[in-house]
Amino acid sequence: MVDIRIPIGLMFSILGVLITIFGFVTMSDAEMYQKSLNINVNIIMGILMLVFGVIMLFFSWRKKKA
Amino acid sequence: MRLDLSWIDYLIMIIYFLFVLGIGWFLRKYMKNANAFLEAGRSIPAWVAGLAFISTNLGALEVMGMTGSGMKYGMLTTHFYWIGAIPAMIFLALFMMPFYYGSKARSVPEFLKLRYDEKTRGLNAILFAIMTILASGISMYALAILMEKVLGWDFNMSLWVSALIVLGYTYLGGLSSAIYNEVLQFFIIVIGLLPLVFLSLKDVGGWSGLKESLAPIVSGNGYAADTWTTTWKYTSEASGNPLGVEWFGILFGLGFVLSFGYWCTNFLIVQRAFAAESKSAARKVPLIGAIPKMFIPFLIIVPGIIAIVLFNDPGKGFTLPLDAAGKPIYDYTIIMLLKQYLPAGVLGLGITALLASFMSGMAGNVSAFNTVWTYDIYQSYIRKRTGNEEADGKHYLTVGRFATVAGVLLSIAAAYIAGKFGNIMDFLQTIFSMINAPLFSVIFLGMFWKRTTGHAAFTGLLSGFLMALLHHGLTVPAGATTLVKGGWIANLHTYPVEMAQNFWTAIIAFTVATLVTVGLTLLTRQQKSDEELHGLVYSLTPRTLAEEGPWYQRPVGLAIIVGVICVVLSILFW
């Protein structure tokens, strides 16, 4: 049928990019990140999601090739 | 306590909704007959079905409830995971799945029909259909009220929008769509809640800092200082731990009766394994699901434990909404933690995780309901198969689609009833939760004792259920204010906590069902021939389990890995 890794990979890549960019844009907003113990969690989680999304897409692509 | 979301949070949610509906849209063209729609054509790979298996179980009430329980009971809550799920999942995979899958039954009620008779199936199908609708209505109500109180969303709007999205993707793509989305939802739940775990742990100084801060609070409540960070240590007496149950009750009540009843017979869960592509894959499904299941406590229980520390430290500014009696509403712990730690962006992700958990639970209910309705009620009592396979496949597909719409509408109705008469719904749910323990007894005896008869199974099922009801009517948990909690006939015994009452209700239901089924089997004649029971009973099924691949990819190898990890975790947090 459909390889579920494609929609998962796409969704996490898109969300990852979005949240990473948002993290960089709001980087100077110290007040906003006080909640998260002064850690810019958006950049960290955004990159993590992007990596996860790309890995999913890679596995799906590798399977298709084989 | 209001939590304001920004545009980015809504954007994340909308992207998630689009993907969920998109999966349904892509799968719609494969839905050519009832078999594809209701059974996913038995074509799902083991890892996909395995993650869906655990995702269905990770509904909104589970996430909200278990975080709340983490606050109330600490690490003792992990008993619902390690002893209260893993052994049952291993048993299901190794010993029961070969008969479930091999029987070609399309549902648990249908297995009862094949193994026993029509009346046993009918009883189970009807009780199950009612229970599923109730469960999905109650969780829908809980979600909508949470969103109203914390995010300020209109109650009716969140109820209808979330229900219609679930309806959208299950109507379009059936069970396949539910399963595929459950995998997506599983990852979103894990990733969405991950920052919460790290930030909250960091805030209290890691695990050792948490233990230190907990000690005075826990001692103040009259328990040993490390009660909230241990599991078995204080279970030699019921009064030594907040669960109010001693080790025997945990081991037998939770670890055996409740958990085997839930994991091995609840069609909502087992259906994911039924959809697997082969018998070997079906056996691996619960084991693959067991791996994340063991680690979910760190995702949802640990933040709950941290919440007690925050709650008792005015400097943290952490609050929980109070109920009418002035007690904190523990179910709100998770969302209040999200509010505490997550800034815009990841906050949207966290809220999306909650919505995803709600959807995975509800889609599970809906896709189990439409299958039982179509195959076990409609096909058995309203319009039987005609013999023309193609026409039948189309006809039952239409029926399945209608059942999907009806299931969602009935759940919405149940959600409104839950809002108006919450006590009645709690009561009904308590009652229907009593069907699982006798069911496990009957299915287990059916699979491993070829003599077990249909009359005995039917009576065992019914009497186990009625005795559970009677026990509930005669006992009360301490401090109960309404008859919903028990004692509606008379008050013969008071349990220290509700949990203990639930455990004993299940133990009694199971014991009675077993005694009645065994007793009546000896008194009645087996109506089924050995031929008919082929593939359904252990002793009448040839063992052809030549599994392929390296040992760690075989069911037994996987089961050993799961078992070892579970034992190690239990020892680490003893």
Side-chain angles (χ1 to χ4, degrees):
Chain A
M1 248 191 291
V2 179
D3 188 349
I4 181 62
R5 282 170 291 203
I6 299 173
I8 293 178
L10 275 177
M11 188 181 89
F12 279 101
S13 305
I14 294 173
L15 289 179
V17 170
L18 184 75
I19 293 176
T20 313
I21 294 176
F22 184 74
F24 277 110
V25 172
T26 54
M27 203 148 77
S28 54
D29 193 342
E31 198 191 342
M32 178 178 150
Y33 289 106
Q34 233 166 33
K35 265 183 163 186
S36 53
L37 317 174
N38 302 316
I39 298 169
N40 192 325
V41 269
N42 280 324
I43 295 181
I44 300 174
M45 286 309 293
I47 292 174
L48 200 80
M49 286 165 81
L50 180 61
V51 169
F52 175 72
V54 170
I55 290 175
M56 278 282 166
L57 288 175
F58 171 76
F59 276 114
S60 161
W61 170 78
R62 204 183 62 169
K63 190 188 155 202
K64 215 173 169 185
K65 241 180 94 179
Chain B
M1 63 174 263
R2 211 28 148 5
L3 176 56
D4 290 312
L5 296 184
S6 75
W7 62 270
I8 180 97
D9 302 317
Y10 286 108
L11 184 61
I12 292 169
M13 257 175 258
I14 290 168
I15 292 175
Y16 162 74
F17 289 154
L18 289 177
F19 268 91
V20 169
L21 287 170
I23 289 177
W25 181 255
F26 266 102
L27 290 170
R28 80 190 188 289
K29 61 172 184 277
Y30 299 97
M31 300 300 128
K32 292 205 166 66
N33 54 38
N35 170 282
F37 187 74
L38 298 171
E39 299 161 72
R42 290 206 167 194
S43 61
I44 306 287
W47 75 272
V48 173
L51 290 179
F53 185 93
I54 217 57
S55 189
T56 313
N57 168 252
L58 197 56
L61 290 182
E62 170 94 3
V63 174
M64 287 160 62
M66 285 299 167
T67 312
S69 296
M71 195 167 172
K72 270 193 284 187
Y73 312 121
M75 281 306 270
L76 279 140
T77 314
T78 59
H79 286 312
F80 288 89
Y81 289 77
W82 298 337
I83 188 74
I86 304 304
M89 291 166 93
I90 293 178
F91 186 81
L92 169 69
L94 295 186
F95 301 104
M96 294 177 78
M97 225 46 234
F99 305 108
Y100 271 144
Y101 195 89
S103 72
K104 299 272 187 332
R106 297 163 299 180
S107 67
V108 169
E110 194 169 57
F111 180 82
L112 290 171
K113 154 80 181 161
L114 294 171
R115 175 60 186 83
Y116 295 120
D117 50 21
E118 191 58 60
K119 60 179 183 298
T120 313
R121 177 238 288 260
L123 176 68
N124 179 241
I126 290 164
L127 289 177
F128 179 80
I130 300 174
M131 184 176 76
T132 343
I133 295 297
L134 279 177
S136 107
I138 290 172
S139 80
M140 203 188 285
Y141 170 76
L143 178 95
I145 200 87
L146 177 87
M147 294 308 178
E148 183 185 68
K149 282 206 171 149
V150 182
L151 299 178
W153 294 355
D154 181 61
F155 177 84
N156 297 306
M157 190 207 72
S158 25
L159 193 75
W160 283 88
V161 169
S162 52
L164 289 179
I165 290 176
V166 173
L167 174 62
Y169 72 77
T170 47
Y171 182 88
L172 286 169
L175 181 63
S176 314
S177 177
I179 288 179
Y180 280 2
N181 270 311
E182 278 153 9
V183 177
L184 179 94
Q185 284 149 355
F186 169 80
F187 287 117
I188 217 72
I189 296 169
V190 172
I191 293 179
L193 297 181
L194 210 54
L196 185 65
V197 182
F198 283 106
L199 290 172
S200 60
L201 256 183
K202 186 171 162 35
D203 194 25
V204 295
W207 185 250
S208 57
L210 174 62
K211 275 193 188 163
E212 240 167 71
S213 329
L214 272 174
I217 301 166
V218 173
S219 312
N221 283 334
Y223 295 105
D226 56 349
T227 313
W228 256 250
T229 46
T230 55
T231 56
W232 290 101
K233 196 169 172 186
Y234 298 105
T235 54
S236 56
E237 278 173 63
S239 58
N241 67 74
L243 276 182
V245 186
E246 73 298 314
W247 66 272
F248 176 77
I250 296 174
L251 203 63
F252 191 66
L254 179 60
F256 181 61
V257 179
L258 280 175
S259 92
F260 280 66
Y262 178 82
W263 292 99
C264 303
T265 66
N266 193 339
F267 180 54
L268 166 73
I269 301 291
V270 183
Q271 187 180 27
R272 271 68 202 151
F274 279 36
E277 60 193 353
S278 67
K279 194 191 254 186
S280 170
R283 292 182 82 199
K284 281 191 266 183
V285 167
L287 299 169
I288 292 169
I291 295 170
K293 180 76 184 173
M294 286 186 282
F295 295 97
I296 288 172
F298 300 108
L299 198 66
I300 59 181
I301 296 175
V302 169
I305 302 177
I306 295 169
I308 317 176
V309 174
L310 303 180
F311 194 67
N312 283 282
D313 180 352
K316 296 286 184 196
F318 179 81
T319 54
L320 272 184
L322 305 176
D323 63 9
K327 279 192 188 159
I329 309 176
Y330 289 105
D331 280 356
Y332 285 33
T333 311
I334 184 86
I335 201 155
M336 296 315 279
L337 283 169
L338 292 177
K339 178 184 183 228
Q340 180 84 5
Y341 289 111
L342 302 188
V346 278
L347 178 61
L349 206 59
I351 302 286
T352 307
L354 278 187
L355 290 173
S357 77
F358 161 77
M359 289 184 176
S360 68
M362 179 169 174
N365 281 309
V366 171
S367 57
F369 171 82
N370 64 15
T371 307
V372 166
W373 165 264
T374 308
Y375 287 149
D376 294 300
I377 299 175
Y378 184 81
Q379 198 176 77
S380 329
Y381 305 115
I382 300 173
R383 185 181 177 277
K384 292 204 190 298
R385 273 183 270 206
T386 57
N388 178 344
E389 231 174 82
E390 210 187 309
D392 275 355
K394 287 230 157 49
H395 177 74
Y396 293 120
L397 169 64
T398 314
V399 174
R401 286 223 151 110
F402 270 109
T404 309
V405 178
V408 171
L409 291 178
L410 286 170
S411 308
I412 293 176
Y416 280 108
I417 298 173
K420 270 229 154 63
F421 311 99
N423 277 341
I424 296 177
M425 291 302 263
D426 282 350
F427 180 64
L428 287 175
Q429 209 184 22
T430 312
I431 290 179
F432 282 101
S433 70
M434 293 170 191
I435 65 175
N436 278 336
L439 184 60
F440 173 68
S441 157
V442 163
I443 292 182
F444 177 80
L445 286 170
M447 281 178 179
F448 295 96
W449 189 28
K450 69 170 188 176
R451 180 83 177 72
T452 322
T453 66
H455 294 320
F458 178 80
T459 323
L461 216 51
L462 202 60
S463 55
F465 179 61
L466 292 177
M467 275 307 286
L469 206 57
L470 191 64
H471 176 258
H472 187 254
L474 291 173
T475 59
V476 283
T481 48
T482 61
L483 292 180
V484 170
K485 303 280 182 203
W488 34 272
I489 303 172
N491 180 4
L492 295 185
H493 181 76
T494 304
Y495 285 105
V497 282
E498 203 177 334
M499 193 82 75
Q501 185 196 25
N502 289 340
F503 283 16
W504 283 103
T505 303
I507 291 174
I508 286 172
F510 174 81
T511 314
V512 169
T514 310
L515 292 177
V516 169
T517 311
V518 171
L520 277 182
T521 290
L522 296 172
L523 296 174
T524 48
R525 240 171 49 91
Q526 177 61 282
Q527 312 276 340
K528 299 235 174 193
S529 64
D530 281 5
E531 196 78 337
E532 287 173 287
L533 295 178
H534 182 92
L536 300 169
V537 180
Y538 185 77
S539 61
L540 298 174
T541 307
R543 272 170 281 306
T544 50
L545 289 171
E547 297 284 350
E548 307 213 335
W551 69 273
Y552 55 86
Q553 280 183 10
R554 295 182 204 172
V556 176
L558 259 176
I560 293 171
I561 297 174
V562 169
V564 168
I565 301 177
C566 185
V567 170
V568 169
L569 282 172
S570 300
I571 294 171
L572 280 178
F573 292 94
W574 189 268

